[in-house]
Amino acid sequence: MGPFFAMLLALPAVMAQQPSKDWCNEGIKVPDFQDDGGNLSVEFFVVQAPLFSTNPRIGTKLRWLNLYHTALVLQQQLPGSEPQNWTIEFDSVTNVLGAVLPSINGTTLSWNNDARYCVTKGVLWGEAHWSKMFDLVFRLKASQARQIFTDFIPSVNNTEHLSKPLYQLWRVEHDAKTLVKDITCGDGVNWIMDYASRVLQTAPAFELKFTSIVVKADRIANVHVNGPDWPVVVKYFQGMSNVTEGKQPLLHRLLEFLHLMPVHYIYDSNAQAYFKVEGNHFPWLEAKYHAVPLEGPPRQIQQKETIH
C-alpha cells in the first residue's frame, strides 16, 4: 500500500504539471554526430532519477519507494573537440496521470495515452539529476548511432493519435505470469538496447532494471463496452478521477481511494480492452524495481533492418 499512498500524497504537486501542447517542443529528430572515421565514439548511458523529482515539492522522496524514471544519455567526444550530449526519453505525451485515466462524457470513456520518444540536446536536467544511475552500457560508431534515429525510432514514433505502442502504467500479474503488460519509460530504453544488440550487433554488457507498478490478481475477465457491466466500469473510473483531480481535501480523497480498493477494473491500452480484476488483495499495488530481458516493442513495425 505504501507506494500508491505516497504517490497519492504527492498528487497535488503532480497534477500541477498539466499536459502541454508543447510536449517535446525542443526535441530533435537526429543528433548531429560528427564523423568519427569508423571509431566507437558514441557512448550510451542508462540514467535513472526518482519519479517526479523535477517537482520541488516532491524532490527525490519517491526513491524510497523504488519509483524511478529511466532514460538514455548519449555522449560523443572526438580528439580536440568538446563533448556533445543528447538525451532520449520514452514517455507519455501528457503527464502520467493524464495517460492512465480517461476523460468521461456520459458513458463514453476517451483515452489520451499516446507515448513517444523525445530526443533533446544536452543532458536533460543536468547530470546530477540522474542520481540513481548513470551507467555506460555500450559504444557505437556515429553511423550506427545515427541508424537508431533514422530507422528504429521513427518506426515507434507514429504521429497518429492512439497509434501503438501506447503508454500503459499498470502491470497485472498472477504469480510469475504477466496478464497485462505495462509499457513505460523503461521499455523505451529496453527497445533501443535490444535494437543495438539485435541489429547493430552490439550486445550491452548490462542488466537493465526499471520500475513497474504491479497489480496482483488471481485472474482477469474481459468486460465489453456497453455490456451489462459497463455502467459499473464507468462509475469505477469516475471514482478514480475524483480521487486525483484535487478538488477535495487530501483526507477525503484518501478515504475515497480506500473505498475503491481492491482494484476492480483495468484498461489495457494496447489491447484496447477492459478487464475485471479478480483476487486483488492488500496491499493492492506494488512498485517493483526489477531486471528485464532485452526485447523489442510488443507490436513490431515492419521495417527493413540493415547493418551499416
Side-chain angles (χ1 to χ4, degrees), residues 16-17 23 65 72 130 135 140 172-173 179 195-196 202 218 229 276 288 290 299:
Q17 303 175 124
W23 183 85
L65 302 167
L72 284 167
W130 305 101
D135 289 358
L140 295 177
V172 184
E173 291 182 349
L179 305 180
Y195 183 84
T202 302
D218 291 337
D229 295 332
K276 183 177 181 179
K288 183 167 72 172
H290 61 119
R299 177 179 174 270

Side-chain angles (χ1 to χ4, degrees), residues 44-48 72-73 132-138 206:
F44 284 68
F45 298 83
V46 171
V47 297
Q48 292 181 336
L72 284 167
V73 168
K132 169 65 175 176
M133 180 182 297
F134 205 113
D135 289 358
L136 177 66
V137 290
F138 55 83
F206 180 81

Side-chain angles (χ1 to χ4, degrees), residues 4 8 11-12 15 97 101 239-247 253 256:
F4 193 89
L8 189 62
L11 284 180
M15 291 304 288
L97 290 170
L101 290 174
M240 294 300 292
S241 296
N242 293 341
V243 169
T244 61
E245 65 186 3
K247 293 181 180 179
R253 285 183 284 142
E256 284 188 339

Side-chain angles (χ1 to χ4, degrees), residues 96-203:
V96 172
L97 290 170
V100 299
L101 290 174
S103 60
I104 302 174
N105 182 11
T107 61
T108 300
L109 306 186
S110 300
W111 296 86
N112 187 16
N113 41 21
D114 292 340
R116 304 283 187 271
Y117 283 105
C118 182
V119 183
T120 51
K121 181 75 173 178
V123 180
L124 188 65
W125 306 111
E127 186 171 339
H129 168 76
W130 305 101
S131 57
K132 169 65 175 176
M133 180 182 297
F134 205 113
D135 289 358
L136 177 66
V137 290
F138 55 83
R139 295 180 175 89
L140 295 177
K141 304 171 187 176
S143 59
Q144 292 176 310
R146 190 176 295 110
Q147 191 174 343
I148 290 173
F149 298 91
T150 59
D151 292 5
F152 175 70
I153 287 180
S155 74
V156 177
N157 268 21
N158 193 319
T159 57
E160 184 180 351
H161 180 48
L162 295 182
S163 59
K164 298 175 184 178
L166 297 167
Y167 196 86
Q168 176 70 31
L169 180 63
W170 314 118
R171 178 187 187 93
V172 184
E173 291 182 349
H174 173 65
D175 295 333
K177 183 179 180 181
T178 300
L179 305 180
V180 174
K181 171 74 174 73
D182 56 334
I183 293 182
T184 62
C185 56
D187 292 279
V189 170
N190 195 14
W191 300 340
I192 289 178
M193 291 175 59
D194 169 75
Y195 183 84
S197 175
R198 182 171 46 83
V199 179
L200 304 178
Q201 299 184 344
T202 302

